Amino acid sequence: MSRQRTAVRQELAKESAFRSAQEIYARLRSAGNRVGLTTVYRALQALADGGEVDVLRSDDGEAAYRLCSQSHHHHLVCRDCGRTVEVEGRAVERWADQVAGRHGFTGVEHTVEVFGTCADCSA
Amino acid sequence: MSRQRTAVRQELAKESAFRSAQEIYARLRSAGNRVGLTTVYRALQALADGGEVDVLRSDDGEAAYRLCSQSHHHHLVCRDCGRTVEVEGRAVERWADQVAGRHGFTGVEHTVEVFGTCADCSA
DNA sequence: AGTGGAAATGAAAACGGTTGTCACTTTCTC
DNA sequence: GAGAAAGTGACAACCGTTTTCATTTCCACT
């Protein structure tokens, strides 16, 4: 684990919202951390491949990254402020398995994202 | 409503899956329809603004468009051959609303995609 | 410490989907 | 029909992301 990747991971750990690669790059730079944009992308990719971060696409096409815990879960994302809540969904897991099985599918995976406006933002 | 926009809408109506702007453009062109890529984008934008089509972002950053379907459903996608089955999920709808409500979120939407290997491909 | 090979880095260029520009054409409205 | 408003499309610009490739760092083994 190189200095740069450690820095990226630490930056992600500072806040639990989804953040863009560009934003993380800017923060690291303005904090005096010498790191290249390419490296930030690669670090995020590596972390995502290793299952340490979740990735999702915002409406404008930017990718957003967020450290996540090991256990399987889904996200409830505020569409205004980006705040996210990790939620479990045994009901969804069961439903996905059933539906897939009924159609003869095996090796089932699924992605579920729930969007809404959080209490603070709707106030 | 111009000839081009009508063509875009008709093309969307041919299939109920999410399709990219580029793909729709290619189909229209290869069908002999003289239309510009810019116009396809604008037509899709206009349809989306008018609430006639749904937009979502795929993992690679492309935007995907689909005529607003009469009935809300999700997709079961084979990861080998790409075959998709449209499935309903009342259980998921209920779960999403519950989870969001429990955390004070309003205006709830959600995306659910299930991936697996279909019977043909696993044989 | 020294060495060699694998992995990581980063500046710059390439890439690709999308959007802006602007001169031109089509379509409404009276 | 005439004038206004909206739409069109070739092309260039935009911007987030990925690739390239020469250089640097890390690490295992002597």
Side-chain angles (χ1 to χ4, degrees), chain B residues 1 8 12-13 21-22 27-28 34 47 57 68 73 84 87:
Chain B
M1 178 66 56
V8 167
L12 276 176
Q22 310 270 351
R27 295 253 181 137
L28 290 175
R34 286 199 310 282
L47 289 169
R57 292 269 172 181
C68 252
H73 62 259
T84 69
V87 294

Side-chain angles (χ1 to χ4, degrees), chain A residues 57-59 61 78-79 85 87-89 92 95 103-119, chain B residues 57-59 61 78-79 85 87-89 92 95 99 103-119:
Chain A
R57 293 270 172 180
S58 62
D59 281 347
C78 174
R79 76 178 115 243
V85 183
V87 295
E88 280 193 25
V92 180
W95 171 81
H103 290 88
F105 280 57
T106 53
V108 180
E109 293 174 357
H110 61 273
T111 64
V112 177
E113 304 286 344
V114 184
F115 302 94
T117 306
C118 77
Chain B
R57 292 269 172 181
S58 63
D59 280 349
C78 174
R79 76 178 115 244
V85 182
V87 294
E88 279 193 23
V92 179
W95 171 83
V99 156
H103 289 89
F105 280 58
T106 53
V108 180
E109 293 174 358
H110 61 272
T111 64
V112 176
E113 304 287 343
V114 184
F115 303 94
T117 307
C118 76

